[in-house]
Amino acid sequence: MQRNGEGDRMLSGQVALVTGGVRRIGRAIALALAGAGADVVINARSSAEEAGAVCKEIEALGARAAVHLADVTDEDQVTRMRDEVLDRFGRLDILVNNAAIRQEAALTEMSLAEWRGVLSVILDGAFLTSRAFLPAMAGQGYGRIINIGGVSSHTGASRRAHVAAAKAGIEGFTRALAVEFAGCGVTANCVVPGKIGGKRSATSGESFSLHGHELRPIVGREGRPEDVAAMVLTLCGPAGGFITGQSLHVNGGLFLT
């Protein structure tokens, strides 16, 4: 297997799984990895038609593709997904935990079910998928885990307490993974998108603000899903081998660390 190749096919021979991989950032990441030579498994909870369309795009890039419909908050479904991926491809090199719910609700009107629902998809999902695949990664002595964070966990955001809390948690989880599996050839990093343009889901909201003022990227444009995918690709390629336990912001200067 080529792990350290150069050029456009630097991930040739590797296998990736992208949760929430059918739209926007997830889709862009899946296509970027496929374009670099990786075979890609698209996970979605129920969007079979959209997932199939992304698979066709991946195959057009010369990579193998597969769809696995699974709720990442369900332990049994994640276990079955792991078994099917490893049975079909024999390995997993890259895990991108992108699945999320980005709802909006005023804190005083937020139900406990809404709170737990957001945290479950983002945190429980990343925990279950990472726990499922890390033994295989550690056994082969190589792996890349990329968790997708959110800038609201750094700036705060009105009506997004559940999202901000979950995304802050995913950064702590990332650092814990990095330390625990450093000796196994596995790196773990968190990519933190800023304001990404394009069509949003009905629950995503229009924007977020800091102290009542809308935040805008200083570069003069909103981000694109491909901007986030480019960072993920860097971390998965040879150039990312010495980067682990980090939160890398892709936000056009919207938030300066």
Side-chain angles (χ1 to χ4, degrees):
M1 184 190 70
Q2 179 182 342
R3 287 194 188 131
N4 297 313
E6 297 179 351
D8 292 340
R9 310 298 288 180
M10 65 182 178
L11 300 182
S12 181
Q14 296 196 32
V15 180
L17 168 65
V18 182
T19 70
V22 301
R23 304 184 191 102
R24 288 174 51 76
I25 290 174
R27 171 181 169 274
I29 291 170
L31 295 178
L33 296 174
D39 298 323
V40 182
V41 180
I42 298 296
N43 159 258
R45 184 168 59 183
S46 58
S47 306
E49 185 175 347
E50 289 179 284
V54 177
C55 278
K56 290 181 180 178
E57 293 183 275
I58 289 169
E59 290 167 349
L61 294 170
R64 293 186 296 171
V67 174
H68 191 102
L69 299 182
D71 181 346
V72 294
T73 71
D74 185 299
E75 186 173 9
D76 290 338
Q77 291 187 42
V78 171
T79 298
R80 287 195 293 272
M81 179 166 65
R82 176 202 63 196
D83 292 346
E84 289 190 17
V85 170
L86 295 181
D87 285 347
R88 177 167 181 176
F89 293 97
R91 62 187 302 116
L92 189 78
D93 301 280
I94 298 164
L95 171 62
V96 181
N97 287 310
N98 174 67
I101 300 175
R102 298 174 179 86
Q103 295 175 335
E104 289 191 353
L107 181 66
T108 54
E109 299 173 3
M110 188 183 299
S111 69
L112 183 58
E114 288 175 313
W115 170 267
R116 287 178 172 169
V118 169
L119 267 67
S120 181
V121 173
I122 295 172
L123 289 176
D124 294 352
F127 161 70
L128 288 172
T129 55
S130 298
R131 189 185 66 175
F133 286 102
L134 270 165
M137 289 182 171
Q140 68 197 22
Y142 181 87
R144 298 285 182 263
I145 295 179
I146 311 295
N147 297 317
I148 304 301
V151 73
S152 64
S153 66
H154 294 266
T155 63
S158 177
R159 301 175 59 83
R160 293 193 179 193
H162 42 4
V163 176
K167 292 297 190 177
I170 204 71
E171 293 194 42
F173 179 65
T174 299
R175 289 189 284 272
L177 289 181
V179 173
E180 186 166 349
F181 291 91
C184 303
V186 177
T187 65
N189 291 288
C190 185
V191 174
V192 186
K195 188 174 183 180
I196 304 301
K199 184 178 179 181
R200 295 171 171 81
S201 68
T203 59
S204 292
E206 294 301 321
S207 65
F208 50 85
S209 62
L210 178 63
H211 308 312
H213 300 287
E214 185 178 351
L215 298 177
R216 297 182 182 276
I218 62 176
V219 299
R221 68 168 176 88
E222 290 184 333
R224 296 182 291 264
E226 291 77 14
D227 295 322
V228 181
M231 177 60 74
V232 173
L233 184 60
T234 297
L235 293 170
C236 293
F242 198 57
I243 304 172
T244 195
Q246 304 302 309
S247 294
L248 296 110
H249 289 259
V250 182
N251 61 37
L254 180 146
F255 171 76
L256 303 177
T257 60

